[in-house]
Amino acid sequence: MIRFARAFGRSPAVRCPVPRRRGLRLAALACAVLAVAAPVLAAPRDAAAQTMQFLGPPAAPPPAGPFQTPPNAPRPAFQAPGGGGAPAPAPSSREPHAVLPQAPPGKAALGVFARFGTDGAAIPRGLVWRVFADQPESTGAFPLVAESSEATPVFMLNPGGYIVHVSYGFATLAQRVQMGPLSRRQAFDVPAGALRLSADVDDKPIPAQKLTFDIFEGSFLQGRTSSQPYYRGAGAGEVVLLPEGTYHVVSTYGDANAVVRADVTVAPGKLTDATVHHRAAQIMLKLVKVAGGEAQADTQWTVITPGGDTIKESIGAFPTFVLSEGDYTAIARKDGKNFSREIKVEAGKNQEIEVLAK
C-alpha cells in the first residue's frame, strides 16, 4: 500500500548525486561528449554529492500547457533550436537574460537557463552546465569549451556549433546550439521532478535509521523494471531529483525480510511524497533457564519459516530482528544443545520473546 501527496514550492534539503547519462540519444556524438565528462559523471555518489533544494513551481497550479504533459508522454532527447545568429525571442519578465552583457570582439554571448517546462518556472539553483564543441579533435574526443554551476550562466563563445549539456540531479538534457555573430539566449526544458519517501507500520512512522529505499526505473506492476537500481540506498525523508516517469521503489525495514515494493510516478516540477506501508514488527529474542530469567550470552540464533527457509542468523544474548508478519521458529544453540520456540509476528506489535533452555 502507498499514499501520495503532491505539493508545490517545497524546499527541503536534498542530496543530489552525480546525474546519470540518461536520455541523451545523440549517437556517436553524444558518446564522445560524455566520454570527455566521464571522470566527473562516473564519480562515486557520495563523493560528488551536494546539498541543494528542490524548487518546484509557484504555489498556484501552473497554467495548462506543456508543463502539465503526462509523465510518460514522449519527448525528444535531442532538441535543435533555430539557425545560428538569429535574434532570440523577447524574454518574459520572469525569465533570465532579458539583457545580455557585451561580448568581446569576435565572440557572442550565450545566455542559458533551465525551467521545468515551456510554461514552467525557471530552476534557480542546483544546475551543472557543460559546453562542448560539436566537432571532435584528432583524438576523436569532443573538447569541453566551458562549464558552470551557476543557475543562469553566460558563455562567451566563438561563432560555430556547440553541444550544451545541463543536469539537475538525475535529470539531464543536451541541445545543439549554433552561434553566429549575434548574442542569444537559450532556454532548456528539463523534465525533472522530485521524490521523497517514508514508511510506516500500523500507521506509525518508522524511524529513518531503520529504513532504506532502492529506486528502479520502470513499473514492477507492468513488468518493465530495470535490473539495476537507478538510485540505491535512498534514506527516508531524502529528496531525490529524478527525470519524469514511473519508478519502482523497494523499501526495506530492518535487515531481514521486511520488504515492500510499490510503483510511484514523478511529474515534472512536482515534489511527490510517497509513504510505504509495512506489515512487520521488531522481535527481540533471549535464551533463559527460567521464565523471566537472565539471558544467556554467546547464544547462536536462527530464525526459520515453517517451510524451513532461514530468515536470519545471529549470535548474542539479545538479538533483535525486524520480521514480516507471519509464523516463524526461533532456534537457540547453546553448549551443543538446541532449543526452539514457535513465534507469531503481527504487524506493529513489537515483542520480547523468551526461549526456555529445557
Side-chain angles (χ1 to χ4, degrees), residues 11-356:
S11 302
V14 54
R15 195 173 62 198
C16 175
V18 173
R20 291 179 53 180
R21 291 164 287 182
R22 178 180 183 273
L24 301 181
R25 298 179 177 87
L26 307 186
L29 175 60
C31 294
V33 168
L34 289 173
V36 175
V40 178
L41 299 178
R45 184 192 70 200
D46 294 337
Q50 57 179 321
T51 300
M52 65 176 68
Q53 291 180 324
F54 172 75
L55 294 159
F67 184 74
Q68 294 181 321
T69 299
N72 293 323
R75 66 179 187 277
F78 177 73
Q79 301 176 6
S92 66
S93 58
R94 67 173 178 169
E95 292 181 341
H97 304 309
V99 178
L100 289 170
Q102 182 68 37
K107 294 181 179 290
L110 174 63
V112 294
F113 67 98
R115 57 195 178 192
F116 289 107
T118 304
D119 296 322
I123 304 175
R125 63 176 65 89
L127 297 163
V128 177
W129 299 88
R130 295 184 179 91
V131 181
F132 298 89
D134 68 348
Q135 297 299 319
E137 298 175 325
S138 58
T139 60
F142 290 79
L144 176 65
V145 175
E147 59 183 333
S148 175
S149 58
E150 297 179 6
T152 58
V154 176
F155 300 109
M156 300 299 176
L157 303 173
N158 294 321
Y162 299 90
I163 299 294
V164 180
H165 177 275
V166 59
S167 61
Y168 179 59
F170 281 116
T172 63
L173 182 69
Q175 289 184 185
R176 183 190 298 275
V177 176
Q178 186 71 31
M179 294 299 295
L182 300 179
S183 295
R184 60 179 296 179
R185 61 193 295 274
Q186 183 66 49
F188 287 71
D189 296 339
V190 180
L195 178 63
R196 180 166 55 192
L197 298 165
S198 61
D200 65 20
V201 60
D202 198 24
D203 292 328
K204 297 177 182 178
I206 299 173
Q209 63 270 23
K210 296 181 180 180
L211 287 168
T212 57
F213 298 92
D214 291 339
I215 303 172
F216 296 78
E217 284 185 283
S219 169
F220 179 77
L221 297 177
Q222 297 178 7
R224 297 197 305 268
T225 303
S226 60
S227 59
Q228 295 297 321
Y230 194 87
Y231 184 78
R232 183 186 295 276
E238 177 182 354
V239 177
V240 183
L241 303 178
L242 296 166
E244 63 170 320
T246 300
Y247 296 88
H248 178 61
V249 174
V250 178
S251 173
T252 303
Y253 173 26
D255 59 357
N257 67 338
V259 177
V260 174
R261 299 173 178 270
D263 285 353
V264 298
T265 298
V266 174
K270 294 183 179 180
L271 170 62
T272 297
D273 277 320
T275 300
V276 178
H277 303 295
H278 279 270
R279 302 288 298 174
Q282 184 171 284
I283 304 299
M284 185 177 74
L285 302 173
K286 62 179 183 177
L287 179 67
V288 296
K289 293 182 178 180
V290 296
E294 182 179 355
Q296 302 297 300
D298 300 323
T299 302
Q300 298 180 0
W301 293 93
T302 302
V303 177
I304 63 174
T305 66
D309 296 327
T310 299
I311 300 300
K312 194 67 178 175
E313 294 181 321
S314 182
I315 299 176
F318 302 97
T320 302
F321 309 121
V322 175
L323 300 175
S324 290
E325 193 174 48
D327 297 323
Y328 301 89
T329 300
I331 302 172
R333 297 180 180 86
K334 178 72 174 178
D335 299 330
K337 298 179 180 179
N338 291 342
F339 310 95
S340 64
R341 176 177 172 177
E342 304 298 318
I343 60 177
K344 185 177 184 63
V345 176
E346 298 181 54
K349 296 182 179 180
N350 298 337
Q351 303 178 61
E352 181 180 305
I353 296 176
E354 295 181 343
V355 178
L356 291 177

